């Protein structure tokens, strides 16, 4: 993560609102909650691609796990703020993918992160190939 | 809370999606999180009435606190479920109001609750009258 | 829940500390988090009775679900506060039990609640008798 | 973060228990919650050094904010697991510090991270020097 600026053409944009549950006694969004915002956006990105995670698990036994997260917090968000969360697929392997995500408010960058997602078997938590139905829908 | 059934004509309906963050190792929505869903719906209900809570605090020094919650959990919700959260204003006083809220999935009642909200001064946490701008917008 | 005062002889006492994660932008503990504090205390109460919930599930297929919660919030707790959470078993049936719980700070009552716990089969979520190993350890 | 192994001599060790609230529908601890575990350990580390954050804020107007988090998730933790969370102060500046933290279960490394903490003025959120009472207590 070098110099930070809003990504020009994300693969997906998702909108979240800041509620009381998201804030802490500093009066701002609790930093760990950006991971929740990022995940909601990833989930809706997958859903927009036609992939529901519960359905994927029921049909293939595969679930996603988060292998690594790196988040940089730049400016605080506050109660009632309307945030835009973006998703960019940076790299895709057979069993994992790297995503770049940002949180913006009126075009101003508040936080950004890189998230590594792995595909595992839900029962054993062992790494496995992502199901074909998912792979064929991911952007190149 | 007597016999439970979906409320016919709620004052407001808000839609939430179940994400990983909402679930627990039982495979279902963690019960405490219905309080979050209920609050998101109350917040959007107030916003639809023209009342933003951060703005209200900035302008009047008033914030809402939850005085009592009663929730009955009937059926579990799961990852990816689309829920409808309803709000009914049951009773309004000068410094507090009682709300009835339900969580439904495809018309099926999953949880319902009664929430008492009080208005306090943000600095002292002492009860105070709800600001006029709020009172005049609440349904009779 | 009638007049509120600290319970004299709870069945169990558990100590929790208030961290940033527990607070909200009001500068106090987010009300929904008392349900978490209460649950931690119930879990440690069961553990002190010799019942681990993961072990119970592995051995009998039984898990606990929360059927109803009623909580009254009296005074706010703040960052760094040391709280005492109490548990009283009020009533026990074959498949459920009712607990009374309080949160105190230096003997001052901050919140109190009544929690109904049910025993269900982890796979079907159907009510079932509590396992004998649990029943025989619960106080009369 | 290169090759991962348990740190030999951390500056501080804190114990946390995994409760229902910490888990998700994958049956394991929700990854974002390691940030909470790490923060509890940092808070207790500071408290052991004689620094309470609420007191620090009341007396100096300073609060800590998290500037960057990097976490690698290696093995899942489950309900009822007893975890040890460690803290190592890696670097200290005048207005920020870098910490290395790990989560272990019976000596096995589950997750590890690097956390950058900054000191800001609670009102303006502008960076400021850490209070002298804190600086003089931090290990060299």
């Amino acid at each position: 993560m070098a110099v930070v600026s809003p990504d020009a053409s994300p693969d997906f944009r998702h909108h979240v609102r800041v509620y009381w549950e998201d804030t802490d006694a500093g009066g701002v969004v609790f930093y760990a909650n950006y991971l929740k915002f990022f995940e909601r956006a990833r989930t809706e990105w997958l859903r927009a691609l036609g992939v529901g995670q519960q359905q994927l698990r029921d049909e293939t036994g595969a679930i996603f796990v988060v292998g690594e997260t790196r988040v940089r917090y730049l400016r605080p968000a506050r109660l009632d703020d309307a945030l835009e969360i973006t998703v960019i697929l940076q790299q895709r392997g057979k069993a994992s993918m790297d995503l770049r995500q940002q949180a913006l408010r009126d075009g101003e960058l508040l936080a950004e992160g890189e998230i590594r997602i792995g595909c595992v078997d839900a029962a054993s938590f062992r790494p496995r190939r992502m199901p074909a139905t998912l792979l064929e829908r991911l952007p190149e």
Side-chain angles (χ1 to χ4, degrees), chain A:
Chain A
M1 292 196 295
V3 179
V4 291
S5 60
D7 288 321
S9 304
D11 294 321
F12 191 74
R13 297 173 193 270
H14 178 65
H15 295 87
V16 303
R17 180 70 75 163
V18 176
Y19 297 109
W20 281 102
E21 66 188 83
D22 304 310
T23 61
D24 69 21
V28 301
V29 168
F30 183 61
Y31 61 96
N33 290 336
Y34 286 95
L35 290 180
K36 296 184 178 179
F37 296 165
F38 286 171
E39 185 174 278
R40 294 181 201 172
R42 292 195 304 272
T43 298
E44 296 305 335
W45 166 65
L46 287 174
R47 200 187 318 280
L49 292 174
V51 178
Q53 291 183 66
Q54 185 62 49
Q55 187 185 0
L56 195 73
R57 179 178 183 169
D58 292 342
E59 292 178 355
T60 71
I63 62 171
F64 294 113
V65 292
V66 173
E68 186 169 345
T69 59
R70 190 172 183 179
V71 184
R72 200 168 161 194
Y73 308 93
L74 306 167
R75 289 176 191 81
R78 292 174 192 276
L79 187 68
D80 284 342
D81 280 354
L83 307 184
E84 182 180 70
I85 313 294
T86 63
V87 182
I88 290 180
L89 177 62
Q90 283 200 299
Q91 198 174 329
R92 47 175 283 192
K94 286 175 182 164
S96 70
M97 50 184 165
D98 294 335
L99 300 150
R100 176 175 169 82
Q101 302 201 249
Q102 295 189 325
L104 304 108
R105 181 186 52 209
D106 298 329
E108 185 186 41
L109 186 58
L110 305 183
E112 68 169 10
E114 290 169 345
I115 314 291
R116 170 160 289 185
I117 305 293
C119 189
V120 302
D121 179 80
S124 68
F125 266 71
R126 287 208 190 131
R128 50 157 287 174
R129 273 179 76 99
M130 287 190 270
T133 55
L134 169 64
L135 277 174
E136 66 197 18
R137 287 168 180 187
L138 288 179
E140 287 302 322

